[in-house]
Amino acid sequence: MTQAAEDRHLTVLPGGGDTESAKAKAAREVQERHLARQKEKEEKAALAEKQRQQIEARRKQVAADPRPHIELGTDPESIRALTRAIDTRALPDTYVRAGAVVVVETPSGAIEDDDEPAQIISAVDPTRLSRILADATYTYELEKRKLADGTVEFLEVESTPKQHLAAAALSSARWNGLPVLHGIVTTPLFRPDGTLIQEPGYDEATKVIYAPKLNIARVPDQPTAEQIDAAKAFILGKLLANFPWVSCSRANYIGALVAPLVRHYLGGVLVPLIAIDAASPGTGKSLLALIMTKAHSGHIRPWVSDDVELRKAITSILVDSGGAVVCLDNVGKGETVDQPCLSSMLTASAWSDRLLGASTSVKVPNDRVWMVTGNNLSIGGDNPSRTVPVKVDARTPNPDMRPSSEFALGDLEEWLTDPAHRAEVLHHLLVLVRGWIVAGANRIETPMRTFTPWASATAGFLDWMGETGFMTNRDTLLEVDEEEAQYGAFYAQWDHLHGDKRLTARELHDSAMPDVKLPFDQRDKWNGAFLVRKKDGQIPSVGGLGKMLAAEIGRYRGGFRLNGFFNAKTKVWTYSVIKDGEQIPEDAR
């Protein structure tokens, strides 16, 4: 039988029907499997092509995303990519402040406040960085996709960096690509070259963002004589006309009033404490503080006498609060402005402290003008030489009952609530400062410790304005300085009892002990003038007295100088006092 016949041979089974041979069946099944595989391959190829089209469409969509693209990879690659993105300003509104990356934002739903900028400066921490990346960039990882046909494609899948990677990227203190930000100001500033910032936005010369809240008329580069005269007439004849100034206080106050405008022009100089004092409540000290804070956008908070709490308040204000002026309002009756932290802050261009409730420290520019207000202020410690005194005295009972009609601008507090009025005040001040700069910015040397550059420039400005007497009332601070008065009385009685005799701390201490053999009213040779401890009003121990004297060696108090002498052989200190002007012993320390 031939092969063809064999292939066609059918075996008839009981019950009927044809069937194929085993060989034919095997061949057919092979063919069917081949066709199935071919069909499956074609289906996978079609599905893979569809997947490729989807991936390509997604790639085009990603490529069209206008945001900067940041690729994350291994941990080191991710840290480098994030650091590069930050330093090349891929993130909007980011700056560097004291080595830390910060972002400037306008919070939603913020309470409108005339004394605060609408924008805020926030430190960029890992959580905030993740949010900014999501908003402002397309940050992605390459994800491996295996297609239906077995081939591999890589897709850019949006991702968020792990927290430890974000923290590592932010850990650097060196950011060469980020602009330095010193702060946000709401009033125009004069640059070091004397030009005025009048356009909103970041200013490279002063490192500040000008975010105006007032619609201020443009200040001319060359103010005319008429414009300058009008500005003087408004400031002197209207705004400050009806305050009961004592001595040269008006000149001092005008110097304070322009300080926020000129400190950048003067190179970011330090400005002393402005102490606004009144003989009695209702005289106008709060109005003077209000003018400052309303004109320059400032911050007013209650006075804090405790040194630790005051330090916390200072840190909070410098970190969280805007404005160019800070007023610590209403020093309590009987309290003395002698806090060491205040003394330290006034002479520091930058302020460092630990953040409240955190384990980290912060260092921020101290770019504010600081004020205190109170009735019959007592300025003590190291603060008298760091203070500009401004005093008002109505010399009448119930000065708060004066009718507003007696003031050129009426109810000044109400008048200042109008933004147009505040803009008018600021415009006139700017015209005056620009006029002084154009005229040569004359200085008159006025020594004042670390504040001499500011004091000398201010004296020159006031002289140009025709305002005399600047800082000629500085001695009044010593009159109300309780510590100065205590030491002055102590030295005067020391001189009366012992002359220039050199005494040890023990000899001096023993001389203060009452002689019980004498009548009661004669037992205290010091007539109550001996030094006492501040904390309890008691005479200090010998050791305590020695420490108090050691801290005063070479200092003049109340017209006397304390001399210290150290015996190298006995290792004992002795002390004497001499009157101001007398010859200082050669061996005095």
Side-chain angles (χ1 to χ4, degrees), residues 71-81 141 165:
E71 181 181 341
L72 302 177
T74 64
D75 283 5
E77 289 172 341
S78 299
I79 293 170
R80 289 193 292 269
E141 293 178 330
L165 300 179

Side-chain angles (χ1 to χ4, degrees), residues 1 6 60 79 105 167 183 200 244 300 391 448 466 470 480 535 547 557 562:
M1 183 182 290
E6 182 179 353
K60 290 180 179 179
I79 293 170
E105 300 173 304
I300 300 178
K391 186 161 187 174
M448 194 182 180
F470 175 63
V480 294
K535 62 180 181 180
K547 291 179 180 179
R557 298 267 205 178
L562 178 66

